[in-house]
Every structure is written in C-alpha cells, then in structure tokens.
Amino acid sequence: MQLRPTTESDLDRVTSVTVDEPVGWIEADRYLEELKEGMYRPEWTWIAEQDGRVLARALWWGHATGEHPLALDCLYVDPSVEDRAALGAELVRAGLRAFTEQGATKLPLYNLTLPQGWREDPAAVAATDWRREAALAAGLTDVVERLRLEWTPDAGLPVSSGRLTFTEGTDEEFLDVFRRIAQGSLDGETRRNVALMGVEAAAQEEVDFYLGCPGERSWWRIARTPDGAVAGLALPSATPYNRNVGYLGVVPELRGQGYVDDVLAEITRVQVEAGAELITATTDTDNAPMAAAFARAGYRVAQTRLVWSAPEAAPAA
C-alpha cells in the first residue's frame, strides 16, 4: 500500500472515483474546474493505492491564492477495504503530516456534509460512522455540528422593527465590536477561539478572515440604537460559491431584546440590493436562539455539516 500526493498523471484515476454513499462529495466536473483555479491541487490530493488501484482518496481544498489547504472536502475509501476507518485515518494523517512539514501552522479541518435528518437514514449513519472514526484517529478530535441554511426570494425579505440604524465603520471600529460580542457568545467557533487565544486575538482573526473573503468590504455595517450606542454588527460576506450571512452579533447588554432579527434583516437586505438571489448561512445546532432567528427570517435548513478539527494548544502565558 502506497500513500502519496497525486501528480498530473493521476488525474484520470482521481476523477474516476465516485462516492455512492448519502454524503456530500466532490464531482469530477467541480474538481477539474477548481483544479484550474488552484482551489484543488495535485499536491493537496492524496491517494492510497495498491497494485495500481486507488483504494482511498482525500481531497483538500484551499483559497486560490493560499499557500496551504484549509479543509478536507471529501474522504473516500473503497467499500472492498476491510477496515475503511483505519485506511482513511492513515491517509488523512499522511496528508496532515506533509502539510505541517511544508509550514502549515493550522491544520485543515474536515467538513462532512449530510442531508437533513441523516440520523434517520441507516446508510447515512454508516457512511458517517467510519469517517468519524477516521477523523478522530487522525487527530481531528474537536467536533461541532452545524446547520447550513438558505434564503431565496420566495421567502420574502425579513421585516425590520426599525429600532436600529446601520452605519459604515473603520476596521478598528469593527474590531472593537467583535471584541464586545465575543463575550458570552453561543457560537462554538467563537468560544473556542476566545478560549485558545483570548478576546483580542480572536477578534483580530475574525476581522482578518472576513477582509480576505470575496465579499465587499462596503457591505459591512455597525448596528446602533436611536441614541447612537453600538448594538452589534451586520457583516454580509461571500464565499467563492455563494453570498452568505457572514457574521452577525449583538453586544451582551442588549441581547434577548430581539435585535438579532433586525441585524439579520439588514444583512439580507444588503445582499439582495447587491443582487443576491441565494444567501447561505451556518450556525451550530447547539445555538438554538440563532437557529430560531434564521427561521423567523425565512432561512430554511438545507443540510447538516459535521466539522472535525485538531485541538489547538492555548498560547503560553
């Protein structure tokens, strides 16, 4: 058994792999298109082969301008393999080890997209189980379950109460609001980042991340009460595939008063005025208040996503 990154000569074998399990996977056409754009790369695509036969494949994805991959998008192990989880883990470990040796300071996470209600489908449960075992065995032991939501025009624009006004702001102003809304946040990633690196660094990472996204910086808004006090932020954004909600939040002292509905309505309005006909969003399944706000705004749950990542050590004091 040989585990290695691919070369151009492997392309036909890589794209001939198909996944017939009820989980999200990357079709050949998408892989080839994004391979040209640099979001998939031969060196980020790993295979396990034996006697010339591909028995496992891992597709890592990253930004076209990025030096290292950000996420494992698709993990496949041939059903004929006796222990699919073991081989999957071995392949993922090999890739992660190589990325670390190449200078990656943050290991890519693993996204597994599942249909809504997947726990009621035995085939989806089985497909998830061996991938979960592989992720954990490869060291990706932090897991969060997230909902992927979608808004389309048939849902109608969510109605704002008119209690807030929205203004533009400088990067420093947005950084300050990020610091404030990180306190007591129910979002799992925000809590994790604050615990690992502190509020200041976590807020700076969020600002830097969204500045690097394809969305327009001019879309960003600070929410204010009638007396001019900061109530939160509305940050419409985009991925290479869709317009999205990006980030939203309400400062701790104003939570529980329904302002989140106004902030989400503003994000939706900005995106629609900029021409969006599909707006995506994600939230943790544990964040019931945010999921309820999306439902009130007409966002429907389209998929569930399990995300595994490597635990990060907190910085030394």
Side-chain angles (χ1 to χ4, degrees), residues 289-309:
M290 194 66 248
F294 279 118
R296 290 192 297 271
Y299 286 74
R300 66 174 183 86
V301 177
Q303 296 171 333
T304 300
R305 182 179 298 165
L306 293 176
V307 183
W308 290 276
S309 58

Side-chain angles (χ1 to χ4, degrees), residues 50-195:
Q50 189 171 39
D51 299 326
R53 181 185 174 199
V54 174
L55 293 179
R57 186 193 69 175
L59 306 182
W60 276 277
W61 177 96
H63 290 310
T65 57
E67 186 176 356
H68 306 290
L70 299 177
L72 174 59
D73 264 0
C74 186
L75 177 63
Y76 164 85
V77 177
D78 191 277
S80 67
V81 174
E82 182 176 356
D83 192 337
R84 299 174 80 183
L87 181 55
E90 191 176 357
L91 184 62
V92 173
R93 277 196 301 267
L96 296 180
R97 185 165 54 246
F99 302 143
T100 300
E101 291 171 353
Q102 292 160 13
T105 57
K106 186 173 183 178
L107 291 178
L109 47 79
Y110 173 29
N111 280 317
L112 178 62
T113 300
L114 296 158
Q116 184 67 356
W118 65 273
R119 286 184 173 86
E120 283 70 55
D121 180 355
V125 171
T128 301
D129 283 347
W130 74 258
R131 289 174 170 86
R132 176 190 294 110
E133 291 178 31
L136 297 176
L140 304 178
T141 55
D142 285 357
V143 61
V144 63
E145 184 170 342
R146 297 178 68 80
L147 301 175
R148 184 184 184 275
L149 306 107
E150 296 180 349
W151 180 94
T152 51
D154 59 290
L157 277 174
V159 178
S160 172
S161 72
R163 295 181 296 164
L164 299 177
T165 59
F166 294 88
T167 63
E168 298 183 3
T170 65
D171 289 355
E172 183 56 44
E173 287 175 313
F174 278 101
L175 181 62
D176 181 63
V177 184
F178 268 113
R179 292 188 195 103
R180 294 174 63 182
I181 64 179
Q183 302 288 345
S185 172
L186 295 178
D187 180 75
E189 184 175 0
T190 298
R191 293 200 308 266
R192 180 170 179 260
N193 287 341
V194 169

Side-chain angles (χ1 to χ4, degrees), residues 30-40:
R30 175 180 164 186
Y31 179 80
L32 291 170
E33 180 180 344
E34 296 188 18
L35 185 70
K36 294 177 183 177
E37 298 175 7
M39 291 187 283
Y40 293 115

Side-chain angles (χ1 to χ4, degrees), residues 192-312:
R192 180 170 179 260
N193 287 341
V194 169
L196 287 170
M197 61 185 74
V199 171
E200 181 67 33
Q204 187 64 62
E205 183 171 274
E206 292 284 8
V207 170
D208 291 344
F209 173 80
Y210 285 103
L211 284 173
C213 287
E216 298 292 335
R217 172 63 176 79
S218 61
W219 296 342
W220 297 15
R221 299 288 187 271
I222 294 175
R224 299 183 184 275
T225 59
D227 61 1
V230 170
L233 59 76
L235 208 156
S237 190
T239 70
Y241 311 104
N242 296 299
R243 301 285 186 83
N244 66 12
V245 166
Y247 201 98
L248 74 159
V250 175
V251 295
E253 61 269 26
L254 294 180
R255 289 173 184 156
Q257 301 180 40
Y259 287 123
V260 65
D261 293 336
D262 298 302
V263 175
L264 183 53
E266 176 68 7
I267 289 176
T268 307
R269 183 195 66 78
V270 169
Q271 290 284 33
V272 170
E273 287 191 355
E277 295 188 359
L278 170 67
I279 306 170
T280 64
T282 59
T283 191
D284 297 347
T285 54
D286 291 341
N287 193 346
M290 194 66 248
F294 279 118
R296 290 192 297 271
Y299 286 74
R300 66 174 183 86
V301 177
Q303 296 171 333
T304 300
R305 182 179 298 165
L306 293 176
V307 183
W308 290 276
S309 58
E312 298 182 50

